[in-house]
Amino acid sequence: MEIIVKLEKESFSKDDIIRLLKSEGEEKNALFKKSGEVKEKYIGNKVWFRGLIEFSNICGKDCLYCGIRKGNKNLKRYNLSDDEILAAAKFAFDNNYGSVALQSGEIESPAFTKRVIKLLNNIKELSDGKLGITLSVGEQEPEVYNEWFDAGAHRYLLRVESTNRELYSKIHPNNKKHDFQRRLDCLKSLQDIGYQTGTGVMVGLPFQTLEDLAGDLLFMQDFNIDMCGMGPYIEHADTPLIINADKLLPLKERFDLTLKMIAVLRIMMKDINIVAATALQAIDPIGREKAVKIGANILMPNITPGKYRDSYKLYDNKPCTDNSAEDCQSCLEARVSLADAEVIYSEWGDSQHYEKRRYKRSC
Ligand code: 5AD
Ligand code: FES
């Protein structure tokens, strides 16, 4: 089969990737089999948890797809207290999660910078330095990234959303606050500072082509990312992009395409960390488990206090919004074993790619 020949290649061209993203039936099975084998060989059948704390839905930006955009007035805004955030981190630590991920809407201000530094210090303190910390709080100045790195954050997730400039400008307002070049500059600073650097895209956006998606994967490879989080785009009724709802692939196809993106990326970048995004579960009840089987190795159980979860709705039908942190943990653990994988507790589960990249640089 032509696809098998492609799968055995050392590196993929854009056309190869498009071909793989088009695979169906037997060919798709061959792709998933291969990506599952690569994961098993390089990572093992393992999954690491990052306890996700969505600590505020207040956002200074207006991305056209995002439910917590500044312009959405149909949303109750919240900001967890420091005590609530630290209690969630303590829950993660007591339950032997290796890491937490702090995520919020995007705010750039000295007060926000200071607050995050304090939280990082406190989380390190309450866990005796043992909890790993991923930050995902958007575009910031290099000095700010530096200060947070020094305070103990060691991974940063900043999705590029799409690497096609033209598409980027169709899904963001065209102003200085939503500038594609700044997104790239931020990713570069994160990498230069020494963060394990993660990015990702939404799959199935209006106007997005398979060529765009292939370009996204090649960008990730060229940029030498350490981590990736990719999920299907899911429309949100209170966002401007909803007017393009008629241009979208059916949800099931967006889901399938996301799995193929994860599988191809796993084959291209064998030792990076790949998140099984929550948005997959909004489409398929066992969507995240399917992603784990074919290549993902990171899950982010939501440990945000239950009463706030409903308000961190990036897209419609977001799952797990009425659960407690305990519910998410036992549910996810059962699900991971369904995918024949094992949750590894009390370990950071750092990106092997990062370790090797750093080692190479110091030699
Ligand atoms: N559908 C899917 N993912 C979304 N995100 C934001 N809005 C949506 C949506 N409507 C993703 C973006 C962002 C991450 C936090 O959530 O990729 O980077
Ligand atoms: Fe908040 Fe885009 S709407 S970062």
Side-chain angles (χ1 to χ4, degrees):
M1 260 189 316
E2 189 197 343
I3 203 112
I4 304 290
V5 178
K6 293 221 184 286
L7 287 170
E8 293 309 323
K9 284 170 82 166
E10 280 294 308
S11 69
F12 295 151
S13 67
K14 198 177 233 187
D15 284 346
D16 290 337
I17 297 173
I18 293 173
R19 181 73 181 79
L20 292 170
L21 295 179
K22 279 185 180 159
S23 64
E24 289 300 336
E26 287 286 297
E27 291 193 339
K28 185 172 82 175
N29 293 342
L31 167 64
F32 289 167
K33 181 161 176 280
K34 176 80 180 179
S35 62
E37 284 165 6
V38 170
K39 181 191 164 189
E40 160 117 48
K41 179 164 171 205
Y42 288 82
I43 311 264
N45 275 338
K46 298 175 185 170
V47 165
W48 287 265
F49 279 174
R50 316 275 183 245
L52 175 64
I53 310 172
E54 296 163 332
F55 66 93
S56 168
N57 66 355
I58 301 171
C59 191
K61 293 179 77 175
D62 248 330
C63 308
L64 303 180
Y65 44 82
C66 183
I68 66 167
R69 65 197 298 273
K70 190 172 174 216
N72 182 8
K73 304 291 178 221
N74 294 335
L75 179 68
K76 199 162 162 252
R77 301 287 165 172
Y78 72 88
N79 192 359
L80 295 195
S81 69
D82 287 2
D83 284 349
E84 286 172 313
I85 299 171
L86 296 177
K90 176 98 173 43
F91 170 89
F93 183 58
D94 291 344
N95 285 279
N96 301 315
Y97 289 17
S99 304
V100 287
L102 294 182
Q103 189 172 84
S104 73
E106 218 172 293
I107 301 292
E108 287 191 74
S109 76
F112 185 78
T113 304
K114 246 170 76 192
R115 180 178 192 212
V116 172
I117 292 176
K118 186 162 164 253
L119 288 169
L120 292 168
N121 288 331
N122 290 343
I123 292 173
K124 285 290 169 189
E125 213 173 278
L126 73 83
S127 67
D128 215 4
K130 292 200 177 86
L131 267 181
I133 309 177
T134 307
L135 277 181
S136 178
V137 294
E139 293 173 8
Q140 305 280 344
E141 289 300 305
E143 303 77 60
V144 174
Y145 288 146
N146 242 318
E147 285 186 79
W148 291 341
F149 188 75
D150 291 344
H154 56 124
R155 308 186 195 104
Y156 205 103
L157 269 177
L158 180 66
R159 286 193 184 177
V160 63
E161 314 298 359
S162 168
T163 57
N164 176 337
R165 251 171 222 273
E166 211 177 303
L167 177 56
Y168 193 92
S169 73
K170 285 188 178 146
I171 60 170
H172 293 97
N174 287 313
N175 58 34
K176 257 175 81 183
K177 252 193 165 169
H178 300 83
D179 179 44
F180 180 69
Q181 189 56 45
R182 175 148 198 247
R183 185 68 60 112
L184 297 185
D185 294 344
C186 284
L187 280 168
K188 188 80 184 74
S189 327
L190 290 164
Q191 204 175 47
D192 289 347
I193 290 166
Y195 280 95
Q196 289 171 56
T197 305
T199 195
V201 295
M202 284 176 285
V203 179
L205 286 162
F207 317 109
Q208 192 178 44
T209 63
L210 291 184
E211 192 177 350
D212 293 334
L213 290 169
D216 292 337
L217 295 183
L218 288 169
F219 168 88
M220 293 180 205
Q221 189 174 48
D222 287 349
F223 197 86
N224 214 0
I225 59 160
D226 305 305
M227 326 185 287
C228 178
M230 280 186 289
Y233 163 68
I234 301 175
E235 56 273 44
H236 187 298
D238 297 322
T239 60
L241 220 57
I242 194 74
I243 59 165
N244 298 299
D246 59 331
K247 298 182 187 65
L248 299 172
L249 290 173
L251 277 174
K252 168 83 179 60
E253 284 179 37
R254 277 178 255 167
F255 176 86
D256 246 37
L257 196 50
T258 309
L259 285 192
K260 287 186 237 175
M261 287 284 285
I262 292 175
V264 176
L265 183 63
R266 172 56 74 206
I267 299 170
M268 290 168 70
M269 302 191 78
K270 298 178 171 26
D271 53 2
I272 63 167
N273 279 348
I274 302 182
V275 183
T278 311
L280 286 164
Q281 200 187 324
I283 300 181
D284 181 328
I286 53 164
R288 284 187 290 188
E289 297 63 32
K290 288 183 178 168
V292 165
K293 244 197 148 76
I294 57 104
N297 66 317
I298 303 289
L299 277 171
M300 300 175 74
N302 197 333
I303 57 169
T304 311
K307 64 179 173 182
Y308 297 109
R309 288 195 197 179
D310 212 28
S311 303
Y312 203 86
K313 277 212 173 139
L314 305 166
Y315 44 83
D316 288 335
N317 297 324
K318 188 171 171 220
C320 306
T321 54
D322 48 8
N323 292 1
S324 69
E326 287 85 353
D327 293 341
C328 266
Q329 160 145 3
S330 44
C331 160
L332 273 176
E333 202 165 328
R335 288 158 164 280
V336 169
S337 67
L338 274 179
D340 295 326
E342 180 196 359
V343 179
I344 307 295
Y345 287 101
S346 305
E347 267 185 25
W348 281 7
D350 276 344
S351 159
Q352 291 178 36
H353 189 78
Y354 173 79
E355 300 300 334
K356 288 182 207 153
R357 184 161 72 75
R358 249 193 356 174
Y359 179 72
K360 257 193 219 148
R361 218 173 33 187
S362 62
C363 286

